[in-house]
Amino acid sequence: MLFQTTQDHEALRAKLRAFAEREIKPVAFTLDQGNQFPDEAVKKLGEMGLMGIPYPAEYGGAGLDMLSYAIAVEELARVDAGAGVILSAHVSLGSWPIFAYGTQEQKRKYLVPLARGEKIGAFGLTEPNAGSDAGGTETTAVDRGDHYVLNGGKIFITNAPKADTYVVFAVTTPDIGTRGISAFIVEKGWKGFEFGDHYDKMGIRSSTTAELIFNDVKVPKENLLGREGDGFKIAMATLDGGRIGIAAQALGIAQGAYESAVEYAKERVQFGKPIGFQQAISFKLADMATKLRCARLLVYSAADLKERHEPYGMESAMAKQYASDIALEVTNDALQIYGGTGYLKGMDVERMYRDAKITTIYEGTNEIQRVVIASHILGKAPK
Ligand code: CAA
């Protein structure tokens, strides 16, 4: 039994592990090579009720806790990091803001099909001039009476163009900074809403990532999420939770690479014994296991704080920053243990090494995580 996991959590882990080993692992390399979205697996996750894990049954969800959600992302990422981020972006970024800030009407119309896995969700925040500085949003939404007119674009959007429902941030009141940003629910297929090319990424290649392009898109007034001007706070609060998902994804990647390295270290014989019994390799494995345990405790405890409605923004940033930093170290060590064999295409550790890198970049670079953590420690800087 792990920290604060119950038998139910471990039963869910076993179910997810069996699913991921059966449905995703055998095709993970093909998906990676082909830049191919795991349509079938995502459909089955929906049928299993897992696309809406932490949402109440009345909104089509599984009614499980945040720890269950973290375990689900971890287990998918253990075999395929792309599958992990598809679930994370859908649950945390595409669905959560609607759950937390949506009207009953919006929840019925948008959250229910998302939670049931009938639709896929995504989050449109990042722009060419608004990456780490998310407040630099330039996309505009102009009030035209019964609707807004959306113009601009978003880059690096996970789950686009597969996603059906997008939470999009745009400036409604210019020149007043972050307080002039609002959030909207935007549907794929609306006139003027198009997608740029699918990015050809280094890793997480089974997840889709594309640009969103808005040309005079009419967004009905009822699709404003929260109040006008609340958008930046909605984005920040969403990311506080989203970072638990990315931390769980990083943890899963590291776990997958570690297990693979342990297996190989027991099999591969050099100097008359398995390399795992050579101190250089056994110490590496010991360090990898320790880092994984630290990361798991951080991820699960952040999930638990969120579940208990206690402040968790600092803890989720710590979990994301630490789990992704160690994912790079652990996948690097795993590949090192494999030596030349690990450097070959088709080896899990080669893919995991590439997959790990993004976790230190998206949902706030690890430099931004440190900004967030420091701001919790120190408060606002004196003017
Ligand atoms: N919750 C609620 N409100 C918050 C908040 C939070 N966590 N953090 C800040 N705010 C509020 C502040 O209280 C402040 O409110 P007032 O106007 O009332 O004072 C307001 O937001 C502005 O706050 P700051 O002055 O701190 O904002 P800032 O402009 O200095 O930016 C930042 C802070 C932390 C650097 C922020 O810009 C940030 O998080 N940047 C990173 C963006 C990011 O993570 N992008 C990821 C994109 S999504 C993605 O990557 C997904 C994927 O692909 C899978």
Side-chain angles (χ1 to χ4, degrees):
M1 213 68 109
L2 292 161
F3 166 78
Q4 279 175 348
T5 59
T6 60
Q7 280 182 349
D8 286 348
H9 289 127
E10 293 309 320
L12 179 78
R13 183 193 302 282
K15 182 172 157 185
L16 257 301
R17 186 165 292 195
F19 171 82
E21 292 274 345
R22 188 180 66 244
E23 307 280 339
I24 305 177
K25 193 172 180 179
V27 292
F29 177 62
T30 313
L31 298 176
D32 173 69
Q33 288 298 99
N35 246 329
Q36 205 184 318
F37 190 85
D39 290 291
E40 268 308 301
V42 170
K43 193 162 157 254
K44 285 184 184 162
L45 283 172
E47 288 161 5
M48 289 160 76
L50 298 173
M51 294 297 273
I53 289 191
Y55 303 115
E58 63 171 309
Y59 297 124
L64 299 179
D65 61 6
M66 282 302 294
L67 192 40
S68 303
Y69 162 61
I71 289 170
V73 175
E74 177 189 346
E75 288 301 322
L76 293 180
R78 179 179 159 274
V79 303
D80 177 30
V85 76
I86 292 167
L87 183 67
S88 180
H90 168 83
V91 169
S92 289
L93 302 184
S95 308
W96 188 81
I98 302 174
F99 171 67
Y101 300 96
T103 60
Q104 278 307 325
E105 194 101 313
Q106 289 171 336
K107 288 184 205 180
R108 262 194 297 275
K109 184 168 178 190
Y110 293 106
L111 179 61
V112 170
L114 288 169
R116 285 189 183 146
E118 295 159 2
K119 297 248 161 107
I120 296 177
F123 180 80
L125 178 67
T126 304
E127 298 184 4
N129 294 319
S132 288
D133 183 8
T137 299
E138 291 172 341
T139 293
T140 55
V142 176
D143 188 340
R144 293 271 187 246
D146 67 341
H147 65 271
Y148 291 88
V149 175
L150 194 60
N151 275 294
K154 302 285 170 180
I155 58 169
F156 303 147
I157 305 306
T158 303
N159 285 348
K162 283 280 171 186
D164 309 277
T165 306
Y166 295 79
V167 174
V168 172
F169 299 86
V171 176
T172 41
T173 309
D175 305 324
I176 60 165
T178 56
R179 291 180 181 192
I181 297 173
S182 303
F184 299 91
I185 306 170
V186 178
E187 292 180 32
K188 176 157 83 176
W190 281 355
K191 194 162 175 285
F193 177 14
E194 279 164 14
F195 299 97
D197 290 339
H198 177 44
Y199 295 102
D200 190 9
K201 308 187 295 287
M202 169 182 173
I204 56 161
R205 290 166 61 81
S206 65
S207 69
T208 55
T209 316
E211 260 180 72
L212 314 183
I213 302 160
F214 307 113
N215 270 318
D216 289 333
V217 180
K218 272 171 90 170
V219 181
K221 268 279 164 73
E222 62 264 24
N223 279 40
L224 173 70
L225 189 57
R227 289 168 311 180
E228 244 191 46
D230 281 353
F232 192 75
K233 286 179 184 166
I234 293 175
M236 291 298 107
T238 303
L239 290 168
D240 281 343
R243 287 166 186 156
I244 296 171
I246 298 307
Q249 183 207 16
L251 174 63
I253 300 169
Q255 179 69 29
Y258 164 76
E259 286 178 29
S260 195
V262 170
E263 212 175 290
Y264 189 71
K266 284 182 180 167
E267 270 169 20
R268 169 79 173 158
V269 175
Q270 289 288 274
F271 304 105
K273 58 182 171 185
I275 58 170
F277 294 92
Q278 314 278 3
Q279 197 177 60
I281 304 300
S282 68
F283 277 19
K284 258 196 217 317
L285 292 173
D287 286 345
M288 290 156 85
T290 307
K291 287 171 186 174
L292 273 163
R293 184 161 168 76
C294 291
R296 186 164 285 111
L297 292 173
L298 281 174
V299 177
Y300 289 5
S301 66
D304 187 54
L305 286 172
K306 183 170 191 307
E307 181 63 30
R308 287 192 279 117
H309 303 286
E310 290 189 27
Y312 65 91
M314 180 174 77
E315 291 78 3
S316 69
M318 287 174 168
K320 191 278 193 190
Q321 174 244 300
Y322 184 77
S324 58
D325 277 346
I326 69 106
L328 283 192
E329 295 165 12
V330 170
T331 53
N332 184 37
D333 283 342
L335 204 155
Q336 189 71 20
I337 289 170
Y338 267 84
T341 306
Y343 197 67
L344 300 178
K345 285 284 176 196
M347 299 304 292
D348 287 346
V349 289
E350 183 272 340
R351 176 170 46 85
M352 290 164 174
Y353 179 78
R354 285 185 284 111
D355 286 342
K357 182 58 202 168
I358 190 63
T359 64
T360 69
I361 299 172
Y362 61 14
E363 286 200 36
T365 61
N366 281 5
E367 290 73 16
I368 289 295
Q369 303 312 311
R370 287 168 170 92
V371 168
V372 171
I373 296 163
S375 74
H376 281 277
I377 299 168
L378 299 168
K380 276 196 189 266
K383 294 243 157 110

